Amino acid sequence: MSIELGDLWGGAWRGFDAVIDVRAPAEFAEDHLPGAISLPVLSDEERARVGTIYKQVSPFDARKIGAALVARNAATHIESQLMDKPGGWQPLVYCWRGGQRSNSFATILRQIGWRVEVLEGGYRSYRRAVVDALYHKGLPFRLIRLDGNTGTAKTALLPLLEARGVQIVDLEGLAGHRGSILGSVAGGQPSQKAFESGLITALQCLDPARPVVVEAESARIGALRMPPTLWHAMIRAPRVEIEAPVPARAAYLARAYADLLADPAELTRLLEGLRPLVGAERVAEWGKMVAAQDWHALAEGLVVHHYDPAYSRARKRDDAPTAAVVEAEDLTEGSLPAVADRLARVLGDVDPG
């Protein structure tokens, strides 16, 4: 039997014991339903082979070969992944369109006795719903932007706010990037589609009746675009700013970017990308600081000569009101809980509209 996706925000697929993606590994890697596991009935190479036979020989021959491969791969998955599942186990299976791959696998599982459902329309129906939610319809959430110049510990404060009962979405965490030219992190960024699925998953867990705090970002985080409905909600959202002195911000950045500072060659390469913005002489000066491992001076130089001017230019284009300002003289790890306490109280008084 097949079931329809239903309301995207309701996440009906979460009611199943497992969600099984039977598409090829490359398809799964690009994006998949939240929480899905990959049990491909055709490998990337097998899928390409069957597709070639379908076009160049005949659909009949392709289906014969495909059926043999699906049966073989299904047997492997049952033996290696599913032997411990009880008789009442109820999985949801999907492929690209809810067609032959998912129905073939589901038929085999049903013959065993499991209560299997197939997602009507497959992954494509889910992706259409995500695009509709993030590109066409308004989000059913009211946002507050946590703003402040680079180095004011916004990202580090988000989980502390969450621990204090504030609803948050960590956009940089979902994007796998710290949001600047020096923002790359280990593991790289997800695909645009996977980023958007991550957003849906994060928002599904939240209460639309209560405000949601997000970090102020530009329209891009690294290589990823902010989906239009989220971006429009963000630029209209009131801002709560964190202010801190430059030395405190520089010290925080030196801690937060410790992974990058551990790779001077990569850091130097990234700094070269700032030449058009700050000039060759400034970049050469920063290169000397890298060679001397003078991280505090480097962080302070970046704050004063690159990040703060960039923020100043961006704020001139930002018409959203500043609802409150929270001052933080110290951004050491031990001081951040107290900053989060004050910030949570302030956020509780902000009307997101």
Side-chain angles (χ1 to χ4, degrees), residues 51-73:
T52 299
I53 294 171
Y54 187 95
K55 294 178 180 178
Q56 297 182 0
V57 181
S58 75
F60 179 69
D61 286 315
R63 283 194 291 270
K64 284 193 297 184
I65 294 172
L69 293 170
V70 167
R72 190 175 302 138
N73 291 327

mmCIF file of all heavy atoms in Angstrom, residues 51-73:
data_model
loop_
_atom_site.group_PDB
_atom_site.id
_atom_site.type_symbol
_atom_site.label_atom_id
_atom_site.label_comp_id
_atom_site.label_asym_id
_atom_site.label_seq_id
_atom_site.Cartn_x
_atom_site.Cartn_y
_atom_site.Cartn_z
ATOM 1 N N GLY A 51 19.870 1.936 -16.549
ATOM 2 C CA GLY A 51 19.379 3.074 -17.337
ATOM 3 C C GLY A 51 19.889 3.050 -18.760
ATOM 4 O O GLY A 51 19.155 3.370 -19.712
ATOM 5 N N THR A 52 21.149 2.667 -18.937
ATOM 6 C CA THR A 52 21.727 2.587 -20.281
ATOM 7 C C THR A 52 21.027 1.511 -21.107
ATOM 8 O O THR A 52 20.697 1.712 -22.289
ATOM 9 C CB THR A 52 23.235 2.293 -20.203
ATOM 10 O OG1 THR A 52 23.875 3.354 -19.487
ATOM 11 C CG2 THR A 52 23.847 2.173 -21.587
ATOM 12 N N ILE A 53 20.789 0.351 -20.494
ATOM 13 C CA ILE A 53 20.098 -0.738 -21.200
ATOM 14 C C ILE A 53 18.675 -0.316 -21.559
ATOM 15 O O ILE A 53 18.174 -0.618 -22.658
ATOM 16 C CB ILE A 53 20.100 -2.014 -20.332
ATOM 17 C CG1 ILE A 53 21.531 -2.526 -20.168
ATOM 18 C CG2 ILE A 53 19.205 -3.093 -20.933
ATOM 19 C CD1 ILE A 53 21.664 -3.648 -19.154
ATOM 20 N N TYR A 54 18.027 0.409 -20.657
ATOM 21 C CA TYR A 54 16.662 0.877 -20.906
ATOM 22 C C TYR A 54 16.603 1.740 -22.164
ATOM 23 O O TYR A 54 15.688 1.611 -22.991
ATOM 24 C CB TYR A 54 16.163 1.656 -19.694
ATOM 25 C CG TYR A 54 14.708 2.061 -19.752
ATOM 26 C CD1 TYR A 54 13.729 1.275 -19.149
ATOM 27 C CD2 TYR A 54 14.311 3.231 -20.394
ATOM 28 C CE1 TYR A 54 12.391 1.634 -19.187
ATOM 29 C CE2 TYR A 54 12.972 3.598 -20.442
ATOM 30 C CZ TYR A 54 12.022 2.795 -19.837
ATOM 31 O OH TYR A 54 10.697 3.156 -19.892
ATOM 32 N N LYS A 55 17.583 2.631 -22.315
ATOM 33 C CA LYS A 55 17.582 3.565 -23.446
ATOM 34 C C LYS A 55 18.129 2.944 -24.727
ATOM 35 O O LYS A 55 17.628 3.214 -25.825
ATOM 36 C CB LYS A 55 18.398 4.809 -23.093
ATOM 37 C CG LYS A 55 17.789 5.660 -21.987
ATOM 38 C CD LYS A 55 18.681 6.847 -21.669
ATOM 39 C CE LYS A 55 18.081 7.710 -20.566
ATOM 40 N NZ LYS A 55 18.963 8.857 -20.213
ATOM 41 N N GLN A 56 19.173 2.119 -24.594
ATOM 42 C CA GLN A 56 19.884 1.647 -25.779
ATOM 43 C C GLN A 56 19.438 0.276 -26.269
ATOM 44 O O GLN A 56 19.652 -0.067 -27.434
ATOM 45 C CB GLN A 56 21.389 1.629 -25.508
ATOM 46 C CG GLN A 56 21.973 3.008 -25.225
ATOM 47 C CD GLN A 56 23.475 2.987 -25.014
ATOM 48 O OE1 GLN A 56 24.112 1.933 -25.082
ATOM 49 N NE2 GLN A 56 24.046 4.158 -24.778
ATOM 50 N N VAL A 57 18.842 -0.540 -25.373
ATOM 51 C CA VAL A 57 18.421 -1.881 -25.781
ATOM 52 C C VAL A 57 16.894 -1.955 -25.758
ATOM 53 O O VAL A 57 16.245 -1.887 -26.798
ATOM 54 C CB VAL A 57 19.051 -2.960 -24.871
ATOM 55 C CG1 VAL A 57 18.621 -4.366 -25.309
ATOM 56 C CG2 VAL A 57 20.571 -2.840 -24.881
ATOM 57 N N SER A 58 16.324 -2.097 -24.569
ATOM 58 C CA SER A 58 14.857 -2.113 -24.465
ATOM 59 C C SER A 58 14.454 -2.011 -23.004
ATOM 60 O O SER A 58 15.188 -2.480 -22.125
ATOM 61 C CB SER A 58 14.277 -3.399 -25.054
ATOM 62 O OG SER A 58 14.496 -4.492 -24.175
ATOM 63 N N PRO A 59 13.278 -1.446 -22.734
ATOM 64 C CA PRO A 59 12.789 -1.399 -21.355
ATOM 65 C C PRO A 59 12.616 -2.791 -20.759
ATOM 66 O O PRO A 59 12.852 -2.993 -19.562
ATOM 67 C CB PRO A 59 11.449 -0.672 -21.484
ATOM 68 C CG PRO A 59 11.601 0.172 -22.713
ATOM 69 C CD PRO A 59 12.437 -0.664 -23.648
ATOM 70 N N PHE A 60 12.204 -3.782 -21.574
ATOM 71 C CA PHE A 60 11.995 -5.140 -21.088
ATOM 72 C C PHE A 60 13.295 -5.740 -20.563
ATOM 73 O O PHE A 60 13.347 -6.311 -19.467
ATOM 74 C CB PHE A 60 11.412 -6.010 -22.196
ATOM 75 C CG PHE A 60 11.184 -7.434 -21.781
ATOM 76 C CD1 PHE A 60 10.194 -7.765 -20.864
ATOM 77 C CD2 PHE A 60 11.969 -8.460 -22.305
ATOM 78 C CE1 PHE A 60 9.987 -9.084 -20.478
ATOM 79 C CE2 PHE A 60 11.772 -9.776 -21.923
ATOM 80 C CZ PHE A 60 10.772 -10.088 -21.006
ATOM 81 N N ASP A 61 14.369 -5.619 -21.348
ATOM 82 C CA ASP A 61 15.654 -6.151 -20.908
ATOM 83 C C ASP A 61 16.143 -5.436 -19.650
ATOM 84 O O ASP A 61 16.722 -6.062 -18.750
ATOM 85 C CB ASP A 61 16.691 -6.015 -22.028
ATOM 86 C CG ASP A 61 16.463 -7.015 -23.155
ATOM 87 O OD1 ASP A 61 16.218 -8.195 -22.864
ATOM 88 O OD2 ASP A 61 16.518 -6.601 -24.325
ATOM 89 N N ALA A 62 15.909 -4.138 -19.600
ATOM 90 C CA ALA A 62 16.333 -3.380 -18.422
ATOM 91 C C ALA A 62 15.593 -3.853 -17.177
ATOM 92 O O ALA A 62 16.185 -3.991 -16.096
ATOM 93 C CB ALA A 62 16.093 -1.888 -18.646
ATOM 94 N N ARG A 63 14.293 -4.130 -17.315
ATOM 95 C CA ARG A 63 13.515 -4.583 -16.157
ATOM 96 C C ARG A 63 13.960 -5.959 -15.692
ATOM 97 O O ARG A 63 13.986 -6.243 -14.490
ATOM 98 C CB ARG A 63 12.025 -4.572 -16.501
ATOM 99 C CG ARG A 63 11.400 -3.175 -16.480
ATOM 100 C CD ARG A 63 9.894 -3.250 -16.487
ATOM 101 N NE ARG A 63 9.390 -3.742 -17.762
ATOM 102 C CZ ARG A 63 9.071 -2.967 -18.799
ATOM 103 N NH1 ARG A 63 9.209 -1.644 -18.700
ATOM 104 N NH2 ARG A 63 8.611 -3.479 -19.911
ATOM 105 N N LYS A 64 14.307 -6.845 -16.615
ATOM 106 C CA LYS A 64 14.798 -8.170 -16.222
ATOM 107 C C LYS A 64 16.081 -8.069 -15.408
ATOM 108 O O LYS A 64 16.201 -8.666 -14.325
ATOM 109 C CB LYS A 64 15.050 -9.026 -17.470
ATOM 110 C CG LYS A 64 13.809 -9.588 -18.127
ATOM 111 C CD LYS A 64 14.170 -10.657 -19.147
ATOM 112 C CE LYS A 64 14.997 -10.082 -20.298
ATOM 113 N NZ LYS A 64 15.264 -11.105 -21.333
ATOM 114 N N ILE A 65 17.035 -7.312 -15.937
ATOM 115 C CA ILE A 65 18.309 -7.163 -15.234
ATOM 116 C C ILE A 65 18.107 -6.421 -13.913
ATOM 117 O O ILE A 65 18.661 -6.803 -12.870
ATOM 118 C CB ILE A 65 19.326 -6.435 -16.128
ATOM 119 C CG1 ILE A 65 19.654 -7.314 -17.338
ATOM 120 C CG2 ILE A 65 20.587 -6.078 -15.349
ATOM 121 C CD1 ILE A 65 20.499 -6.623 -18.393
ATOM 122 N N GLY A 66 17.283 -5.390 -13.963
ATOM 123 C CA GLY A 66 17.008 -4.638 -12.744
ATOM 124 C C GLY A 66 16.364 -5.479 -11.668
ATOM 125 O O GLY A 66 16.709 -5.386 -10.485
ATOM 126 N N ALA A 67 15.432 -6.331 -12.056
ATOM 127 C CA ALA A 67 14.753 -7.191 -11.079
ATOM 128 C C ALA A 67 15.739 -8.138 -10.404
ATOM 129 O O ALA A 67 15.671 -8.363 -9.187
ATOM 130 C CB ALA A 67 13.648 -7.988 -11.772
ATOM 131 N N ALA A 68 16.663 -8.699 -11.189
ATOM 132 C CA ALA A 68 17.659 -9.606 -10.614
ATOM 133 C C ALA A 68 18.555 -8.881 -9.628
ATOM 134 O O ALA A 68 18.857 -9.396 -8.536
ATOM 135 C CB ALA A 68 18.492 -10.228 -11.732
ATOM 136 N N LEU A 69 18.959 -7.677 -9.986
ATOM 137 C CA LEU A 69 19.828 -6.904 -9.103
ATOM 138 C C LEU A 69 19.103 -6.493 -7.826
ATOM 139 O O LEU A 69 19.658 -6.563 -6.723
ATOM 140 C CB LEU A 69 20.341 -5.662 -9.844
ATOM 141 C CG LEU A 69 21.300 -5.919 -11.013
ATOM 142 C CD1 LEU A 69 21.524 -4.637 -11.804
ATOM 143 C CD2 LEU A 69 22.632 -6.471 -10.509
ATOM 144 N N VAL A 70 17.842 -6.047 -7.978
ATOM 145 C CA VAL A 70 17.062 -5.632 -6.810
ATOM 146 C C VAL A 70 16.886 -6.805 -5.848
ATOM 147 O O VAL A 70 17.057 -6.666 -4.627
ATOM 148 C CB VAL A 70 15.697 -5.071 -7.245
ATOM 149 C CG1 VAL A 70 14.757 -4.939 -6.040
ATOM 150 C CG2 VAL A 70 15.865 -3.714 -7.921
ATOM 151 N N ALA A 71 16.552 -7.963 -6.374
ATOM 152 C CA ALA A 71 16.354 -9.134 -5.518
ATOM 153 C C ALA A 71 17.638 -9.500 -4.778
ATOM 154 O O ALA A 71 17.617 -9.825 -3.585
ATOM 155 C CB ALA A 71 15.870 -10.310 -6.364
ATOM 156 N N ARG A 72 18.749 -9.438 -5.488
ATOM 157 C CA ARG A 72 20.039 -9.781 -4.882
ATOM 158 C C ARG A 72 20.395 -8.791 -3.768
ATOM 159 O O ARG A 72 20.807 -9.177 -2.665
ATOM 160 C CB ARG A 72 21.119 -9.782 -5.960
ATOM 161 C CG ARG A 72 22.450 -10.362 -5.518
ATOM 162 C CD ARG A 72 23.397 -10.418 -6.702
ATOM 163 N NE ARG A 72 22.828 -11.218 -7.794
ATOM 164 C CZ ARG A 72 22.890 -10.881 -9.081
ATOM 165 N NH1 ARG A 72 23.490 -9.762 -9.445
ATOM 166 N NH2 ARG A 72 22.377 -11.660 -9.995
ATOM 167 N N ASN A 73 20.224 -7.512 -4.053
ATOM 168 C CA ASN A 73 20.553 -6.485 -3.057
ATOM 169 C C ASN A 73 19.583 -6.521 -1.877
ATOM 170 O O ASN A 73 19.980 -6.310 -0.723
ATOM 171 C CB ASN A 73 20.558 -5.100 -3.696
ATOM 172 C CG ASN A 73 21.717 -4.912 -4.659
ATOM 173 O OD1 ASN A 73 22.801 -5.457 -4.462
ATOM 174 N ND2 ASN A 73 21.509 -4.147 -5.721
#
